[in-house]
């Protein structure tokens, strides 16, 4: 796997691959890689000829009291995983390369980015939007791959790409889970054994909501309360939000007589010093993803 540590090396690599033919697939990450990230690499390999990943812990998407400083950095192990997965190149920019002296531009997505995680992490999606815009402009991929685990982020990025007419196709990849259902996340490394056990309640709660949905329950508050109850019983420290939304717009879910929107249950909690998020589209099979 080629290591590209600056934008000149990246441009050279991209130009050569483009000349060789076949599409370029891009998987942006913050490192501390796991099987969830690898699913993105596999999807990229299946759909494009040349796969480039990036690792960049983006300071602008962390709040002042968040975990930027202690975010896990495991470059050696990451390189092994990416190589084994068949990733062709890894772009590793420094903070100065992404935000050079004098940088002062912001990218802000509207309503979609303002609720849920946008509310509990003010400025977070501005940081995501600006870094994704820069990375897409540097890499110029044909297809970019994002995890549905970060469901709101996926919709925000799709909106951004559509609104700014960025010449890239965005693909969402279904969430990869541990055997007990916990969504894989770099932040799971923060969990001690007891918190890790509690964290399985996120998936249990979401699954229960989906069962209720399939059984015919359509009241958003009832469905949200089912999830909250499971989280409380498991001793989850803090519930930031549990919210049933329309899967494409993230507007509050209200059942309509004439059309049935897909409902997505989203949640964010704090457990054992980690902030964890998860979601489930209640109307589709787990892992089926969503074509939007
Ligand atoms: P991160 O390194 O956490 O910024 O994640 C990089 C990309 O991997 C994002 O598009 C995430 O949504 C995706 N991702 C993270 N965890 C998972 C998972 N468990 N399943 C699928 N995709 C994931």
């Amino acid at each position: 796997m080629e290591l590209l540590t600056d934008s000149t090396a990246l441009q050279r690599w991209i130009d050569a691959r483009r000349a060789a033919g076949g599409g370029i697939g891009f998987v942006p990450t913050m490192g501390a890689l796991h099987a969830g990230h690898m699913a993105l690499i596999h999807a990229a390999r299946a759909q494009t000829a040349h796969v480039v990943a990036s690792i960049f812990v983006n300071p602008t998407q962390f709040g002042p009291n968040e975990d930027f400083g202690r975010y896990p950095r495991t470059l050696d192990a990451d390189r092994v995983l990416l190589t084994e997965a068949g990733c062709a190149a890894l772009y590793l920019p420094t903070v100065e390369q992404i935000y050079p002296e004098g940088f002062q531009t912001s990218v802000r997505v509207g309503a979609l980015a303002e609720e849920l995680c946008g509310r509990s992490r003010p400025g977070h999606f501005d940081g995501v939007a600006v870094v994704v815009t820069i990375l897409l402009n540097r890499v110029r991929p044909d297809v970019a791959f994002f995890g549905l685990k970060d469901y709101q982020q996926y919709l925000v990025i799709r909106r951004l790409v559509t609104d700014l007419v960025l010449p890239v196709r965005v693909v969402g990849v279904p969430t990869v889970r541990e055997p007990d259902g916990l969504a894989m996340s770099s932040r799971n490394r923060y969990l001690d054994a007891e918190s890790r056990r509690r964290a399985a309640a996120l998936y249990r709660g979401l699954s229960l909501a989906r069962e209720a949905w399939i059984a015919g329950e359509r009241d958003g508050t009832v469905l949200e309360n089912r999830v909250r109850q499971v989280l409380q019983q498991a001793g989850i420290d803090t519930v930031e939000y549990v919210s049933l939304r329309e899967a494409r717009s993230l507007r509050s879910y209200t059942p309509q007589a004439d059309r049935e929107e897909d409902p997505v249950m989203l949640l964010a909690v704090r457990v054992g010093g980690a902030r964890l998020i998860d979601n489930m589209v209640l109307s589709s099979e787990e892992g089926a993803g969503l074509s939007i």
Side-chain angles (χ1 to χ4, degrees):
M1 181 177 65
E2 197 93 20
L3 260 196
L4 309 167
T5 53
D6 61 70
S7 59
T8 315
L10 174 72
Q11 295 323 315
R12 211 174 290 134
W13 188 86
I14 295 287
D15 290 344
R17 296 282 83 70
R18 209 173 281 290
I24 293 174
F26 178 42
V27 178
T29 81
M30 298 205 300
L33 302 180
H34 49 69
H37 297 109
M38 292 310 114
L40 271 60
I41 301 287
H42 292 307
R45 285 197 66 197
Q47 296 186 39
T48 55
H50 313 287
V51 177
V52 53
S54 65
I55 295 180
F56 180 64
V57 186
N58 174 35
T60 65
Q61 71 187 71
F62 289 81
N65 299 315
E66 293 186 354
D67 57 346
F68 176 71
R70 68 175 183 128
Y71 196 84
R73 287 154 171 95
T74 60
L75 183 57
D76 291 343
D78 292 351
R79 284 175 64 175
V80 172
L81 283 178
L82 289 170
T83 304
E84 284 173 359
C87 182
L90 172 59
Y91 177 41
L92 276 174
T94 61
V95 173
E96 292 70 29
Q97 285 164 16
I98 297 292
Y99 302 112
E101 179 82 34
F103 189 96
Q104 50 187 282
T105 297
S106 51
V107 181
R108 172 166 293 179
V109 176
L112 211 45
E114 281 158 12
E115 295 197 37
L116 304 168
C117 285
R119 198 166 293 245
S120 35
R121 303 183 73 188
H124 168 67
F125 286 118
D126 296 355
V128 170
V130 78
V131 80
V132 168
T133 305
I134 295 165
L135 290 171
L136 289 175
N137 283 334
R138 282 223 182 280
V139 177
R140 293 172 286 132
D142 298 285
V143 194
F145 296 83
F146 295 89
L148 294 175
K149 143 122 193 331
D150 298 280
Y151 190 85
Q152 187 178 12
Q153 168 176 282
Y154 168 71
L155 290 183
V156 164
I157 290 167
R158 283 188 61 110
R159 193 70 251 165
L160 161 81
V161 163
T162 303
D163 291 353
L164 298 186
V165 206
L166 301 182
V168 62
R169 189 159 68 83
V170 174
V171 169
V173 177
T175 304
V176 178
R177 299 180 178 281
E178 300 284 358
D180 67 356
L182 178 65
M184 289 194 177
S185 164
S186 305
R187 290 190 168 95
N188 291 351
R189 292 167 198 246
Y190 297 149
L191 301 172
D192 62 19
E194 170 60 18
S195 306
R196 171 65 189 79
R197 204 182 51 71
R198 290 181 187 180
L202 276 62
Y203 181 71
R204 278 207 309 280
L206 292 171
S207 302
L208 209 72
R210 187 172 50 202
E211 281 165 30
W213 169 273
I214 290 166
E217 182 59 65
R218 293 293 182 270
D219 185 326
T221 309
V222 170
L223 291 162
E224 287 163 4
N225 285 341
R226 291 273 167 91
V227 182
R228 283 179 189 280
Q229 207 174 18
V230 175
L231 298 176
Q232 267 154 19
Q233 277 165 2
I236 295 291
D237 303 332
T238 313
V239 177
E240 258 179 32
Y241 64 79
V242 173
S243 193
L244 189 69
R245 301 290 173 118
E246 291 183 2
R248 290 162 185 80
S249 67
L250 286 190
R251 282 193 291 263
S252 279
Y253 182 81
T254 39
Q256 310 264 344
D258 52 341
R259 65 191 170 107
E260 194 165 84
E261 291 285 340
D262 285 309
V264 59
M265 186 71 82
L266 303 112
L267 59 81
V269 307
R270 287 178 188 279
V271 54
R275 181 178 184 278
L276 303 180
I277 59 172
D278 202 348
N279 69 84
M280 193 178 279
V281 177
L282 301 188
S283 52
S284 70
E285 284 293 306
E286 172 64 10
L290 192 69
S291 50
I292 48 177

